[in-house]
Amino acid sequence: MAKPKVQIIQPSLDLRKRAVNFKTGFGVILTPEETVKLQAVVEKSSDGFVRQIAAKLKQLREALAALDDGQAPHPGLIERVATDALEIKGLGGTFKFPLLTQISKSLHDYAAQIKDANVWHGVIFAHHIDALYVVLAQRITGLGGKVEAELLKALRQASTKYK
């Protein structure tokens, strides 16, 4: 069977103007000066990012408290954990927190496979969230060292064991 031909549709001039603002914005190909400017903006936003993620983690912890008490989780908890973890994963690398990205990926992958949360799932969620808190509090902007690698491995093993 022959592969269908690909049709490339050029964007309208209006769409191109919105995507790239040549008067006040950046061009499609960034110059070294523009790259430096963008990096400065990201670094300025880093504190806000840390506060935002810390608040999100606090809310997740509070939502998971019901599982610790043996209560049934409120509807949408698992989806919320998965969604928040995916958001953190996406932003971690932007703000030079690759370890945050890896831990939140582990949390997202784990939450995505769970149908009905129980106490053990809550424990695994909580360990991931605690690890994310530590990365933020210690401002671990690299991949960390041996301890961080072992922690990530342990989180993944626990996620596999308690599906």
Side-chain angles (χ1 to χ4, degrees), residues 56 60 64 76-90 103-114 125 129 132:
K56 190 174 293 289
L60 282 175
L64 290 171
L77 174 64
I78 298 169
E79 292 81 13
R80 180 175 172 194
V81 170
T83 301
D84 286 354
L86 189 62
E87 182 181 333
I88 295 167
K89 174 186 171 268
I103 295 169
S104 56
K105 179 188 182 325
S106 175
L107 177 57
H108 174 265
D109 292 348
Y110 182 63
Q113 66 185 350
I114 294 174
F125 288 159
I129 291 168
L132 292 169

Side-chain angles (χ1 to χ4, degrees), residues 13 29 37 48 53 60 62-64 73 89 95 98 103-104 106 108 123 134 142 146 149:
L13 185 58
I29 300 171
K37 285 181 184 178
I53 298 304
L60 282 175
E62 291 168 356
L64 290 171
K89 174 186 171 268
F95 291 96
I103 295 169
S104 56
S106 175
H108 174 265
V123 168
V134 169
K146 184 178 177 182

Side-chain angles (χ1 to χ4, degrees), residues 23-45:
K23 292 181 182 175
T24 60
F26 297 109
V28 175
I29 300 171
L30 296 176
T31 65
E33 294 82 18
E34 290 172 331
T35 303
V36 168
K37 285 181 184 178
L38 284 174
Q39 288 173 341
V41 168
V42 169
E43 287 174 17
K44 280 184 184 177
S45 304

Side-chain angles (χ1 to χ4, degrees), residues 88-105:
I88 295 167
K89 174 186 171 268
L91 291 171
T94 302
F95 291 96
K96 299 180 182 176
F97 286 96
L99 186 57
L100 197 74
T101 296
Q102 290 181 345
I103 295 169
S104 56
K105 179 188 182 325

Side-chain angles (χ1 to χ4, degrees), residues 2 52 72 97 155:
Q52 177 188 0
F97 286 96
L155 288 171

